[in-house]
Amino acid sequence: PLWLYLHFPQLQLDSLHASAASAQEVATIIIDPDSHVVCQLNAAARNQGVKQNMGLATASVLCQPLNILSLKPAFEQQRLQELAHIFYQTSADIALFEPQGMVFEVSSMLALHGSLNDYLSLIQQHLSEQQAVAHQALASSPLAAKVLAQSSNKAIFQNADTLLGQLDISHLDLPAQQLSQLRRIGMQTLEDIEGLSRRELGLRFGAALPRYIDQLRNRQATPLSYFKTQACFSRSLMLEHEMKQSSALLFPAKSLLNSLQVFLQSRAALSQKIKLVLTNRGGEELVIELASAEAERNQQVWLNLLKLKLESYRLKAPILGVRLECHDFQEPSQASTDLFSARQALSPKQLVSRLQAKIGGDHIQAIRLKQDYRPEHSFHYHPVDETLGSTKRHEETAPCMLRPTLLLDPPRELHETLQIIHGPERIQSAWWSSDPICRDYFVARNTRQQTLWVFRDQQQQWFVHGLFA
């Protein structure tokens, strides 16, 4: 069997989103909030003398200007899950070693991908697309691949057994006290430990050490909990600099939406709802939900909706991280487009989506007919999503009668001279209710050439009830 381990030594640093092209040249370090030592650093900081595990004070003296960020273990855990979803397209059996590693079972995948080189090329392609640095090692056991990947920043694809034997014991996953005991008896490498008998190892260090050596050498199976994918999309970014203006979020959001578009294209899917999760300085998560009346995958459509949403959105605190989530997917349906226009026509559903993003979904309503002859009771309002998202045909249909485009509520008294064009049409209904009517309706034109819908009630009073467009 073959196992490939990926160790991500700077997962948070790789996920930083630069606010400008020049920002990548600024020296950046990520420090452990408890010990205040450097745990991740970019090339610019390394070139100025900053090193791993260096104290914050020393790094600040060596390097100016210096961008200092705090390590976010929860973010790295979330990002590792996202990477596992991406690698699941290539590998079926993935086990996570949180917070910075994962291992793939390779042998069963070679029948699908061809050769080992083809498989490793696909892994490298995913890493490049995600802009993630990973130390890689290929070995006959998961634990061997893990310690080799963590021990070197170079890819190890050959001679794993030899390199494993020569590995310094400091790279083994053993308690510090046990490592100290091994060094006191002259043990420097794994080969030195293997030179002792199993009985002697068991007596000196307990049964756990021989079992660990057997798992390293694949003489005993390593218990693993395999990753289970979910039908969802999630992608996170950390920001190099705090964002205080909501409009500035469009820049990182564009990168996330592009990843979503690629994800949906690869699955021939669309979505009507996405969620942008903002993490502010205090660790609070703010959620911006975007809904499209028409299922979409085009990143520009979602970006336009987000732009409209952010115009009225106010940030309570500076934003440090952004995450895009999508959980609902739909199959695409064939839609007709404008044959003669170079620009694709805006569908009614897309128009509704833009209006909802601009002024809020509660302010957009649709009209549905009711079976009532009284004009003011012949329709009712309801949420527009019920109309656009429903495939059910309603039995109510508009009667073949002359009716105005705009109905006045309430009708206003008539105080001008009119020319009758059509009528009368008597509407007498609801005599059994508390709101009966008996009116004679006419279509008329006034001196300003407006076409009106007027009526005369039983008291011979005239009212304007509507206007024709």
Side-chain angles (χ1 to χ4, degrees), residues 200-212:
E200 186 176 357
L201 281 176
L203 289 174
R204 283 175 175 267
F205 305 101
L209 182 57
R211 183 167 61 250
Y212 176 67

Side-chain angles (χ1 to χ4, degrees), residues 97 143 146-147 150 169-175 178-179 212:
F97 286 80
L143 293 186
K146 178 186 178 184
V147 297
Q150 291 177 334
I169 62 173
S170 61
H171 295 294
L172 302 180
D173 292 328
L174 296 175
Q178 202 168 70
L179 289 173
Y212 176 67

